[in-house]
Amino acid sequence: MSRVPGWLGRLGAGLTEMSERLDERRAEVEQDSDPLAAPEPAAVETPPPARRPAPPAGGPRPDPAEAVPWGVRVAAEAGWRLLVLAGTVWVLMRVISAVQLVVFAFVIALLVTALLQPTVARLTRRGVPRGPATALTAISGFVVIGLMGWFVTWQVMENIDTLSTQIQSGIDDLRDWLLKSPFHVTDKQINQIAKNLREAIGANADQITSAGLEGVQVIIETLTSILLVFFSTLFLLYDGKRIWEWFLRLVPAAARPGVAGAGPRAWSTLTAYVRGTVLVALIDAIFIGIGIYFLDVPMAVPLAVFIFLFSFIPLVGAVASGALAVIVALVTQGVFTAVMTLIVVLAVQQIEGHVLQPFILGRAVRVHPLAVVLTVAAGGMVAGIGGAVVAVPLVAVTNTVVGYLRQYSEELQQQKSAAQAEDEAVGRNAEDPAHQG
């Protein structure tokens, strides 16, 4: 058998294989040269994951803020805000204490203005020009106050000798009554009490002497305060409205409407408080004065004036003035008269607390008795008698202002919600095809 056909078959198979390789090469060249041909995605080597540091033995550490309990964080947030408020109040009190004379004079002028302003308004409505009405009212008010002080001083100076004799006689009678009383008080105990009183007076002799040496300064400060009160009252009565408008211009525009609405309500509260307190104090002084007058207590009229003045200090003033009347009755007229004086004082004060104050003051000045006690105590500790006098009207006015601002804020929020709801309704109607047609 011839071998040629086998050789030709192998040659043909080789040529066929070479042709297939050339076709594959041509196809690769054409694919590389075609710009629209999508290249085959190249194999991207994924980098090995970064090695994380090994967690500590106790586990992963949380964020420090998240580690603090929620209650502690809330307490801390409230705490630093309270510290800021306390610092502000402290700075304000330091400033007030530096100009205490001016501040008290202006506050007393506000109280006197609240008392006299209705009279000025009444005279103005009857045709009297505002200037003469203001001058007439202010001068008349201060003349009345001055006459009261002069009358008390005159009565005390006129009766000081008789009163000293009555006090000495009353002390002897009180000593005899204590020796014979069922309290088993001995003469030795009474002598020991008298000795302790003398020693206390002797120990405080230096303070009493220094207070006497500072009398000139006290007189100068008193006269300065009286002048400041007088001129402040005069200008507040005459130009109070423009002073308030000037103050409103200092308030930020966003808060001005609320402050403008709170001001008249605060003034109404202050006016109601001052007029009601004066009326209640006058009733107390008249009825207690009549009672001690018929009990033959010396200086009944000056004691009644003291009761009137002390009534401007809520709670504490009534107790102090009543105790003064009882002590005078005890050392001058004896135990029975002192007990009767105490009954008169307690009866009048009970009528005042349960009938007069709710009826006269009404809802205009409603402050809880606990708030009154704490306020008077704080005012007395901070600024003495003057602080106790102005503490309660300050709290009453603050209560009115805070209540009004809360109500104003709620009404403003309701108006905003209503306006927003109306805008949303208008927007929905504009998008609705039925309304558009």
Side-chain angles (χ1 to χ4, degrees):
M1 182 176 180
S2 178
R3 299 175 67 94
V4 175
W7 174 77
L8 290 175
R10 289 193 295 272
L11 180 60
L15 292 174
T16 302
E17 183 179 359
M18 185 179 296
S19 176
E20 291 176 354
R21 290 180 179 177
L22 289 174
D23 293 335
E24 291 176 0
R25 181 61 181 168
R26 189 182 299 113
E28 291 176 1
V29 172
E30 291 177 356
Q31 185 176 5
D32 293 336
S33 61
D34 188 5
L36 300 178
E40 294 182 0
V44 180
E45 294 185 359
T46 304
R51 294 185 60 188
R52 296 181 179 179
R61 294 182 179 178
D63 186 19
E66 296 179 356
V68 180
W70 175 255
V72 177
R73 280 190 278 176
V74 172
E77 291 287 337
W80 72 261
R81 287 175 171 83
L82 289 176
L83 287 177
V84 171
L85 290 176
T88 304
V89 172
W90 182 81
V91 172
L92 183 62
M93 295 302 297
R94 295 287 295 179
V95 173
I96 291 176
S97 63
V99 290
Q100 185 174 358
L101 180 65
V102 178
V103 172
F104 274 130
F106 183 74
V107 172
I108 293 174
L110 279 176
L111 298 177
V112 177
T113 303
L115 178 63
L116 300 180
Q117 192 270 337
T119 304
V120 176
R122 192 177 298 111
L123 292 175
T124 304
R125 285 194 301 267
R126 293 185 177 181
V128 181
R130 189 167 187 83
T134 299
L136 180 63
T137 304
I139 293 173
S140 300
F142 281 95
V143 166
V144 170
I145 296 174
L147 288 176
M148 289 174 57
W150 169 80
F151 179 76
V152 171
T153 305
W154 172 63
Q155 285 289 312
V156 171
M157 296 302 295
E158 284 290 324
N159 297 278
I160 189 67
D161 295 333
T162 305
L163 184 63
S164 300
T165 305
Q166 290 179 339
I167 289 175
Q168 185 62 42
S169 176
I171 291 175
D172 294 337
D173 295 338
L174 180 61
R175 178 174 180 173
D176 295 336
W177 181 82
L178 289 174
L179 292 174
K180 299 176 183 179
S181 68
F183 298 110
H184 304 289
V185 180
T186 62
D187 191 38
K188 182 178 179 181
Q189 292 175 338
I190 295 176
N191 293 332
Q192 184 64 34
I193 294 173
K195 180 181 178 181
N196 293 335
L197 289 175
R198 286 194 297 269
E199 290 178 354
I201 294 174
N204 296 321
D206 295 337
Q207 298 180 0
I208 296 173
T209 304
S210 61
L213 294 176
E214 295 175 355
V216 177
Q217 181 180 356
V218 172
I219 293 175
I220 294 174
E221 291 180 354
T222 302
L223 293 177
T224 305
S225 301
I226 292 173
L227 290 176
L228 286 175
V229 170
F230 178 76
F231 284 108
S232 300
T233 303
L234 197 63
F235 285 109
L236 287 173
L237 287 173
Y238 180 73
D239 219 9
K241 185 177 181 180
R242 280 192 286 184
I243 293 173
W244 171 246
E245 292 174 352
W246 171 82
F247 173 77
L248 283 179
R249 288 196 291 269
L250 302 178
V251 179
R256 194 172 299 164
V259 176
R265 289 165 176 81
W267 183 252
S268 299
T269 299
L270 183 63
T271 303
Y273 172 82
V274 174
R275 297 178 68 182
T277 302
V278 168
L279 186 56
V280 171
L282 187 62
I283 294 174
D284 284 352
I286 290 174
F287 283 97
I288 294 178
I290 292 174
I292 61 178
Y293 176 79
F294 283 107
L295 290 173
D296 291 332
V297 177
M299 294 195 305
V301 177
L303 286 175
V305 175
F306 275 115
I307 291 170
F308 173 78
L309 297 176
F310 274 83
S311 295
F312 286 92
I313 307 176
L315 299 180
V316 179
V319 174
S321 59
L324 178 62
V326 172
I327 291 174
V328 172
L330 177 64
V331 298
T332 56
Q333 299 295 328
V335 177
F336 177 76
T337 305
V339 173
M340 296 303 297
T341 303
L342 179 61
I343 292 174
V344 170
V345 170
L346 292 178
V348 173
Q349 289 179 356
Q350 289 298 313
I351 295 174
E352 169 206 335
H354 294 87
V355 178
L356 295 179
Q357 285 190 355
F359 178 74
I360 295 174
L361 297 179
R363 290 181 172 271
V365 187
R366 175 162 290 186
V367 181
H368 196 276
L370 179 60
V372 173
V373 174
L374 296 179
T375 302
V376 171
M381 293 174 62
V382 173
I385 297 177
V389 170
V390 304
V392 175
L394 178 62
V395 170
V397 170
T398 304
N399 185 32
T400 301
V401 171
V402 171
Y404 172 79
L405 291 179
R406 186 187 300 114
Q407 180 182 359
Y408 175 80
S409 178
E410 292 175 355
E411 292 178 355
L412 191 62
Q413 188 64 32
Q414 291 176 359
Q415 292 176 1
K416 289 182 179 179
S417 300
Q420 184 178 1
E422 185 178 356
D423 292 340
E424 292 177 356
V426 172
R428 287 194 300 268
N429 293 336
E431 296 175 358
D432 191 355
H435 287 82
Q436 292 178 359

